[in-house]
Amino acid sequence: MSITAHQVVTLHYVLSDVLNDGSKQVLDDSQARNKPLEYLHGHDNIVPGLESALAGQTVGAELSVQLMPADAYGVRNEDLVQEVSRGSFGNAELDPGSRFQTEGEAGPQIVTVLEVDGDRVTVDTNHPLAGRTLNYKVTILDVREATRAELAKGHPLPPGTEHSKVEDRKVL
């Protein structure tokens, strides 16, 4: 079965990027974690360039995909680096590199602390991988039709979840 919209795809991947010296840095490895990725194809559950590269592939396929920033987590936007009050973080320990998840205009977003100077904190709300060229090595493990409940929610669900027990989130 070829990967098309409304199918649940299970795969293993290794995500890496290239450092300035030309060496590769592994950022994530689903096989090392023994936890394959399962996603609903055609529902914006993974980065656009990877979803596009997986379309039409079949179980057992192995592929290497290089994604430019625009096809992955986006191009860095320096306007998303801003100064905020220390009070915005409550009693949280703040150090450069600390990350927090907050609710943004388009849903959850990751905030990275760049600098702490007294009561002022410089933060970056770009995705941590924005602006980076990413390399994926992918092995497709399974492809199946999504259930009615999965289509209603817009992502894979545990086996046996009935569509009558979930609230519709997406319109097909």
Side-chain angles (χ1 to χ4, degrees):
M1 172 184 296
S2 294
I3 297 174
T4 60
H6 313 310
Q7 292 179 326
V8 174
V9 179
T10 305
L11 56 83
H12 269 305
Y13 68 92
V14 175
L15 169 61
S16 62
D17 70 349
V18 178
L19 300 175
N20 291 336
D21 66 3
S23 64
K24 282 190 178 180
Q25 170 183 307
V26 173
L27 303 171
D28 193 11
D29 183 340
S30 68
Q31 186 125 18
R33 288 185 285 110
N34 197 28
K35 185 164 176 58
L37 171 69
E38 186 177 61
Y39 79 97
L40 181 57
H41 194 81
H43 289 252
D44 301 323
N45 292 164
I46 61 174
V47 294
L50 183 57
E51 186 167 65
S52 190
L54 292 171
Q57 299 291 329
T58 58
V59 172
E62 295 181 8
L63 56 152
S64 294
V65 180
Q66 184 175 68
L67 299 178
M68 300 310 290
D71 294 324
Y73 291 96
V75 177
R76 276 193 58 75
N77 179 350
E78 293 308 319
D79 291 340
L80 297 179
V81 174
Q82 52 197 291
E83 231 181 62
V84 297
S85 166
R86 170 69 178 88
S88 301
F89 295 91
N91 294 328
E93 183 74 29
L94 295 181
D95 294 305
S98 299
R99 289 196 176 132
F100 300 88
Q101 183 169 322
T102 64
E103 196 61 36
E105 291 177 14
Q109 69 180 14
I110 298 171
V111 175
T112 304
V113 174
L114 300 178
E115 182 181 354
V116 180
D117 184 15
D119 190 43
R120 305 303 303 161
V121 180
T122 305
V123 297
D124 183 355
T125 59
N126 282 289
H127 187 282
L129 297 177
R132 293 166 80 174
T133 298
L134 301 176
N135 298 292
Y136 285 87
K137 289 187 88 163
V138 177
T139 303
I140 299 170
L141 306 174
D142 189 43
V143 179
R144 66 170 174 80
E145 294 295 330
T147 66
R148 185 170 168 188
E150 290 169 326
L151 293 173
K153 287 303 278 185
H155 59 81
L157 296 170
T161 303
E162 296 179 29
H163 73 276
S164 61
K165 304 282 189 222
V166 300
E167 180 182 332
D168 286 355
R169 184 186 74 109
K170 291 202 164 200
V171 177
L172 298 178

